[in-house]
């Protein structure tokens, strides 16, 4: 089933912290695909708990990088975006998706990485949100968590909710991105101690619940989105890709949960072998 695709992933390099590109690159490579990167910024660490991190915005480098690729006739089978540093960068990503780097059948997968637990990540806010609302209209698949889904739709963030609340969010997202798209929402749980992933497309609803482990760290959304993208690109259905990605993320959290020293991320590396067994089907 697997074929070899060229994926472009656009997100930051957080040098320390196991998120964004330091997660996407190994996981997508493990899925058996060529992974090209466009670093949106270089930070000494992620912004979720480290103090005094550095932030080098690479926005000004992006147009020349893209121009070079176009002059070389390079194109990509899939575009997968994660954390982007600024609203202007989001606009540049829209230009990339509209450029000759895209093929008619390229997959466009957008993780609107902006926040968690009801709040924006450090340094993000309204202007960024407006830009992200425009970017997601270009996606085939979006992968928000509940916080990001609420920010995008303007629906109040809640931690206790029922199916109707999630349906309202899905309707709101559909009205932004249009019909015929797939919405994958992470962190959806309807019972105490439960979380999970929801997959919604064209009126179809699928929910894969699993135990909620109390390890709230940056990067789990990136691990999920990268694992999901790798599976999907290998021809696995959106629902099965979501289950594989959820199982992988949970296994990675389990590897780390007992270790307070490893507070900043999760050890996905030690469970990559299990992921490969499920997504590489030659
Ligand atoms: O998607 C998580 C993430 C990625 N990159 C940076 C972050 C975070 C979350 O805090 O700070 C720089």
């Amino acid at each position: 089933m697997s074929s070899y695709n060229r994926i472009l992933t656009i997100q930051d390099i957080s040098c320390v912290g196991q998120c964004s590109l330091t997660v996407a690159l190994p996981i997508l490579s493990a899925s058996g695909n060529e992974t090209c990167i466009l670093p949106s910024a270089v930070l000494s660490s992620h912004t979720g708990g480290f103090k005094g991190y550095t932030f080098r915005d690479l926005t000004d480098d992006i147009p020349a990088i893209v121009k070079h690729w176009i002059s070389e006739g390079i194109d990509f089978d899939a575009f997968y975006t994660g954390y982007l540093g600024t609203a202007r960068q989001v606009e540049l990503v829209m230009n990339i998706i509209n450029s000759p780097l895209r093929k008619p059948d390229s997959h466009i997968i957008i993780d609107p990485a902006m926040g968690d637990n009801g709040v924006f990540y450090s340094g993000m806010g309204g202007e960024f949100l407006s830009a992200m609302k425009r970017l997601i209209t270009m996606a085939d698949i979006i992968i928000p968590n509940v916080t990001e889904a609420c920010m995008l739709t303007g629906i109040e963030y809640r931690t206790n909710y029922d199916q109707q609340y999630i349906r309202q969010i899905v309707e709101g997202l559909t009205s932004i991105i249009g019909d015929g798209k797939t919405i994958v929402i992470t962190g959806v749980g309807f019972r105490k101690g439960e979380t999970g992933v929801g997959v919604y497309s064209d009126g179809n609803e699928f929910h894969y619940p699993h135990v909620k482990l109390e390890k709230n760290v940056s990067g789990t959304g990136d691990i999920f989105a990268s694992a999901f993208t790798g599976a999907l690109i290998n021809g696995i259905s959106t629902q099965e890709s979501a289950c594989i990605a959820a199982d992988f993320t949970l296994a990675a959290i389990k590897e780390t949960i007992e270790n307070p020293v490893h507070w900043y991320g999760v050890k996905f590396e030690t469970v990559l072998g299990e992921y490969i067994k499920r997504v590489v089907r030659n």
Side-chain angles (χ1 to χ4, degrees):
M1 183 191 264
S2 294
S3 56
Y4 188 71
N5 290 283
R6 188 184 305 122
I7 305 168
L8 175 64
T9 182
I10 313 174
Q11 41 193 318
D12 72 280
I13 298 179
S14 289
C15 300
V16 169
Q18 287 171 309
C19 68
S20 41
L21 279 182
T22 66
V23 160
L25 190 49
I27 294 174
L28 291 172
S29 297
S31 76
N33 294 287
E34 176 183 351
T35 310
C36 303
I37 60 168
L38 182 51
S40 57
V42 179
L43 295 87
S44 53
S45 71
H46 64 59
T47 66
F50 294 99
K51 305 272 178 315
Y53 54 84
T54 68
F55 183 101
R56 168 79 57 199
D57 185 356
L58 296 182
T59 307
D60 291 341
D61 293 338
I62 292 177
I65 292 172
V66 171
K67 194 168 161 217
H68 176 228
W69 288 344
I70 293 173
S71 75
E72 291 287 339
I74 292 164
D75 55 22
F76 299 99
D77 302 300
F79 295 80
Y80 154 46
T81 75
Y83 183 102
L84 299 167
T86 60
R88 189 171 149 241
Q89 217 164 67
V90 178
E91 302 290 343
L92 287 176
V93 170
M94 292 173 72
N95 295 342
I96 291 172
I97 294 173
N98 271 333
S99 78
L101 300 177
R102 176 189 187 163
K103 300 194 276 191
D105 57 353
S106 302
H107 297 269
I108 313 290
I109 300 161
I110 312 274
D111 174 358
M114 280 185 296
D116 209 352
N117 300 309
V119 291
F120 280 109
Y121 291 140
S122 169
M124 294 197 165
E127 195 197 349
F128 188 88
L129 173 61
S130 306
M132 189 52 80
K133 275 192 198 165
R134 290 193 292 278
L135 176 59
I136 59 170
T137 64
M138 305 178 90
D140 306 314
I141 301 183
I142 59 170
I143 315 181
N145 58 30
V146 175
T147 296
E148 291 152 352
C150 287
M151 288 168 169
L152 291 163
T153 54
I155 293 170
E156 186 196 356
Y157 174 74
R158 289 178 17 204
T159 48
N160 285 317
Y161 48 77
D162 56 10
Q163 310 252 14
Q164 206 42 46
Y165 174 73
I166 296 295
R167 266 181 212 134
Q168 199 195 340
I169 289 177
V170 170
E171 263 171 40
L173 290 170
T174 306
S175 70
I176 301 172
I177 65 175
D179 295 324
K181 311 285 184 78
T182 299
I183 297 167
V184 179
I185 309 182
T186 57
V188 176
F190 299 108
R191 292 186 192 86
K192 204 169 181 299
E194 172 192 290
T195 185
V197 55
V199 181
Y200 309 91
S201 59
D202 292 326
N204 293 313
E205 294 181 359
F206 172 77
H207 183 236
Y208 181 61
H210 57 78
V211 62
K212 183 176 169 67
L213 297 175
E214 292 307 330
K215 178 95 183 171
N216 232 326
V217 288
S218 294
T220 49
D222 302 340
I223 291 173
F224 176 90
S226 303
F228 173 86
T229 300
L232 186 90
I233 297 307
N234 284 357
I236 299 171
S237 73
T238 49
Q239 295 185 358
E240 194 184 347
S241 295
C243 297
I244 291 171
D247 290 346
F248 175 59
T249 308
L250 195 65
I253 296 172
K254 280 186 184 153
E255 287 289 287
T256 329
I257 196 146
E258 304 292 355
N259 188 346
V261 176
H262 208 101
W263 59 268
Y264 51 83
V266 293
K267 297 180 192 167
F268 68 93
E269 302 88 347
T270 51
V271 288
L272 266 179
E274 290 304 306
Y275 172 70
I276 293 171
K277 276 189 211 149
R278 291 181 73 181
V279 300
V280 179
R281 302 177 175 177
N282 289 319

